[in-house]
Amino acid sequence: KTAQLFRDADVLDFLGNIGVARILAITQEEGTSDSTLNPTTGILQSFAKSMAGKCISESCKELAKKRQRELLLFLKSLTQETFNGKAL
């Protein structure tokens, strides 16, 4: 039961602002990046599609839906503000 709660917490982290910040930090480390945000946005798109479905508890499922919408909105805005992703 405790492991499931930690798993749900991780899922919510990945879908939220903490997850975005972590992925930005990891994918933009010197020597691991192509100097664009394209790999980062690809990972975030993948998280937005798949992470909410990994929740175990009902409370996680509810929170994940909200965070998923927020992440998708962020990615949509980022795409619009970067000329359909061309300026990433």
Side-chain angles (χ1 to χ4, degrees), residues 13-81:
D13 276 354
F14 279 117
L15 283 172
N17 294 325
I18 292 171
V20 172
R22 286 181 179 167
I23 295 304
L24 280 168
I26 291 168
T27 59
Q28 296 304 305
E29 287 181 357
E30 191 173 334
T32 62
S33 171
D34 67 357
S35 299
T36 73
L37 291 177
N38 289 316
T40 305
T41 56
I43 291 168
L44 294 173
Q45 287 283 359
S46 175
F47 284 175
K49 291 178 184 174
S50 66
M51 291 306 281
K54 297 178 188 261
C55 286
I56 298 168
S57 70
E58 289 303 315
S59 58
C60 178
K61 290 175 185 177
E62 288 178 35
L63 289 168
K65 287 179 189 176
K66 179 181 179 285
R67 290 191 181 188
Q68 182 182 42
R69 284 191 303 270
E70 291 170 352
L71 178 55
L72 289 170
L73 181 60
F74 168 77
L75 290 167
K76 181 179 178 182
S77 296
L78 185 64
T79 299
Q80 291 172 342
E81 292 178 17

